[in-house]
């Protein structure tokens, strides 16, 4: 019987796409079945609850959707070990920034592999006994780039069905294709978390829009955000600008699709923005990224944001 590794799926659309890509790369590098555990999305509890978004894509990795199906693939010791790891994650890792002891020759649960290994290749050589991976964060351009074409084929959204309001926005973008500029503004939980920079309170967007206007004649801006009221109050007088305020958290996939149709893009410091930029295949497109994403960061590294994504200061 073929051995199986299960990868935990968590977070919003951007995070889910990273986890999916990680699982796809593992399936290429290991002679094992890789499954994605999406069972947590059945439990709608706590703050900032997210939806399972990968259902919209032509994915090539199978999912586990219920705890019952998950536990059928695990023995009792593994189930207990996983529960302990999740409790640890919610307390010691998040609040005290401590790592679990990990023995690559004996451990069956791998928590936060990026804390122990510098890349996926190194990890693959040291996980012979691993059955379950959670808090995976190998989120960088260098690991994914060799598989970019394969990944993009899986997440094309060719058959997505937009409603009338979103189709009108799509028509606007299409009419202005050569000078269309998507802008993504992430607020929400970034207003209360202690590590990401709240770019909406910085000069980043002012600097980025100014840069675009110097480069693109008659730029047509399309602004997407999880805080519609903030955007309306700060950008309602901006010329040649469309505030896309028709999609809520249940329709993030529509915003993602529309942002991907814009030729140029001003990123937020979010994984959703990262994926819009990664999926951009337009010739002569301009991708702008914040020079700094995190409060304790000097500058976003090239392993995460390639050189061709232009760094824009936030001061």
């Amino acid at each position: 019987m073929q051995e199986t590794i299960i990868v935990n799926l968590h977070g919003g659309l951007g995070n889910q796409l990273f986890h999916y890509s990680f699982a796809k790369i593992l399936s290429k590098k290991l002679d094992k079945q890789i499954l994605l555990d999406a069972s947590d999305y059945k439990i709608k509890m706590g703050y900032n609850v997210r939806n399972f978004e990968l259902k919209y894509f032509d994915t090539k990795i199978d999912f586990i959707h219920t705890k019952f199906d998950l536990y059928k693939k695990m023995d009792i010791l593994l189930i207990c070990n996983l529960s302990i790891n999740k409790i640890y994650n919610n307390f010691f890792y998040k609040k005290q920034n401590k790592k679990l002891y990990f023995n690559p020759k004996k451990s069956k649960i791998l928590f936060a592999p990026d804390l122990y290994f510098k890349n996926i290749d190194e990890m693959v050589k040291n996980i012979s006994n691993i059955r379950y991976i959670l808090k995976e964060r190998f989120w960088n351009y260098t690991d994914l780039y060799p598989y970019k074409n394969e990944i993009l084929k899986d997440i094309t959204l060719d058959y997505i069905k937009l409603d009338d309001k979103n189709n009108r926005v799509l028509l606007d973008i299409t009419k202005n294709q050569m000078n269309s500029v998507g802008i993504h503004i992430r607020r929400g939980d970034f207003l209360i978390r202690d590590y990401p920079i709240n770019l909406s309170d910085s000069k980043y967007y002012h600097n980025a829009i100014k840069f675009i206007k110097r480069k693109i004649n008659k730029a047509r801006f399309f602004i997407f955000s999880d805080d519609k009221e903030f955007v309306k109050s700060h950008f309602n007088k901006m010329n040649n600008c469309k505030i896309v305020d028709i999609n809520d958290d249940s329709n993030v996939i529509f915003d993602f699709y529309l942002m991907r149709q814009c030729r140029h893009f001003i990123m937020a410091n979010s994984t959703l923005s990262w994926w819009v930029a990664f999926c951009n295949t337009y010739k002569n497109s301009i991708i702008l990224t914040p020079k700094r994403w995190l409060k304790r960061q000097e500058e976003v590294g090239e392993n995460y944001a390639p050189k061709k994504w232009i760094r824009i200061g936030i001061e």
Side-chain angles (χ1 to χ4, degrees):
M1 182 178 178
Q2 187 182 31
E3 293 187 16
T4 300
I5 294 179
I6 301 170
V7 177
N8 178 258
L9 197 65
H10 72 274
L13 173 55
N15 289 21
Q16 292 173 43
L17 287 170
F18 271 118
H19 294 315
Y20 172 75
S21 299
F22 171 77
K24 188 177 181 72
I25 293 171
L26 276 191
S27 71
K28 298 282 184 182
K29 293 180 177 292
L30 296 173
D31 184 25
K32 296 183 180 182
Q33 181 187 32
I34 309 298
L35 299 175
L36 280 163
D37 174 16
S39 62
D40 287 342
Y41 291 95
K42 293 287 186 181
I43 306 171
K44 302 292 184 180
M45 294 177 61
Y47 173 75
N48 200 30
V49 174
R50 303 304 184 94
N51 299 311
F52 176 65
E53 305 286 359
L54 295 183
K55 62 185 178 183
Y56 296 103
F57 303 99
D58 184 23
T59 52
K60 303 299 189 297
I61 302 290
D62 290 332
F63 298 96
I64 300 170
H65 289 287
T66 68
K67 295 297 181 187
F68 177 77
D69 289 334
L70 172 64
Y71 296 152
K72 283 197 302 183
K73 297 183 177 297
M74 307 167 71
D75 58 47
I76 187 64
L77 289 177
L78 190 60
I79 293 171
C80 293
N81 195 350
L82 178 60
S83 299
I84 292 170
N85 268 267
K86 287 189 173 183
I87 293 171
Y88 167 87
N89 170 48
N90 288 326
F91 183 74
F92 289 101
Y93 174 66
K94 284 186 177 179
K95 296 183 179 180
Q96 299 188 16
N97 197 29
K98 291 183 178 180
K99 294 192 293 185
L100 273 177
Y101 170 72
F102 172 67
N103 185 328
K105 294 183 178 179
K106 295 183 179 181
S107 298
K108 291 189 176 182
I109 304 288
L110 175 54
F111 168 79
D114 60 295
L115 298 179
Y116 304 93
F117 308 109
K118 62 182 180 181
N119 54 41
I120 295 176
D121 283 335
E122 182 183 13
M123 184 201 74
V124 166
K125 297 174 183 177
N126 292 280
I127 59 169
S128 58
N129 292 303
I130 291 299
R131 293 286 314 283
Y132 194 99
I133 299 174
L134 71 159
K135 218 63 180 177
E136 177 274 319
R137 287 184 181 272
F138 279 122
W139 298 355
N140 61 68
Y141 191 86
T142 51
D143 273 329
L144 269 61
Y145 183 75
Y147 305 91
K148 182 174 182 176
N149 290 338
E150 292 182 59
I151 293 169
L152 292 186
K153 285 180 182 178
D154 295 353
I155 60 173
T156 56
L157 291 173
D158 285 342
Y159 303 105
I160 192 170
K161 294 182 179 179
L162 302 178
D163 57 24
D164 290 342
K165 290 181 179 179
N166 280 286
N167 266 317
R168 285 195 287 271
V169 177
L170 177 60
L171 181 61
D172 193 350
I173 295 173
T174 304
K175 285 182 177 179
N176 296 277
Q177 179 51 240
M178 295 303 296
N179 58 342
S180 59
V181 184
I183 301 177
H184 185 214
I185 299 175
R186 168 77 179 269
R187 280 172 59 82
D189 57 332
F190 276 24
L191 302 181
I192 59 174
R193 289 191 175 187
D194 59 357
Y195 62 89
I197 295 171
N198 174 18
L199 294 173
S200 62
D201 284 344
S202 74
K203 292 185 178 180
Y204 168 67
Y205 289 105
H206 170 80
N207 296 339
I209 291 169
K210 188 176 179 180
F211 181 94
I212 289 290
K213 287 182 175 179
R214 291 199 306 266
K215 297 290 184 179
I216 302 172
N217 186 36
K218 296 181 180 179
R220 173 70 167 155
F221 295 95
F222 298 86
I223 303 181
F224 302 82
S225 178
D226 58 353
D227 191 337
K228 274 68 171 176
E229 295 307 313
F230 171 86
V231 171
K232 290 176 184 177
S233 65
H234 285 74
F235 295 91
N236 62 329
K237 295 181 180 179
M238 183 174 165
N239 293 328
N240 208 12
C241 171
K242 170 69 176 176
I243 296 173
V244 184
D245 60 353
I246 53 179
N247 299 312
D248 58 20
D249 290 343
S250 65
N251 291 318
V252 171
I253 195 68
F254 290 160
D255 275 355
F256 180 62
Y257 177 79
L258 292 171
M259 284 190 282
R260 285 175 61 175
Q261 308 314 305
C262 297
R263 179 171 293 270
H264 312 287
F265 188 51
I266 297 174
M267 301 172 65
N269 53 337
S270 80
T271 56
L272 183 62
S273 270
W274 192 97
W275 277 98
V276 174
F278 184 77
C279 292
N280 187 300
T281 56
Y282 289 112
K283 291 183 179 180
N284 302 316
S285 64
I286 298 174
I287 306 293
L288 304 185
T289 181
K291 189 174 183 179
R292 292 172 54 221
W293 282 48
L294 307 175
K295 292 177 181 177
R296 296 182 292 275
Q297 180 185 57
E298 292 184 6
E299 183 173 334
V300 62
E302 291 180 14
N303 63 322
Y304 192 74
K307 281 185 177 180
K308 61 183 178 180
W309 295 359
I310 300 170
R311 272 73 170 158
I312 299 295
I314 66 173
E315 289 85 15

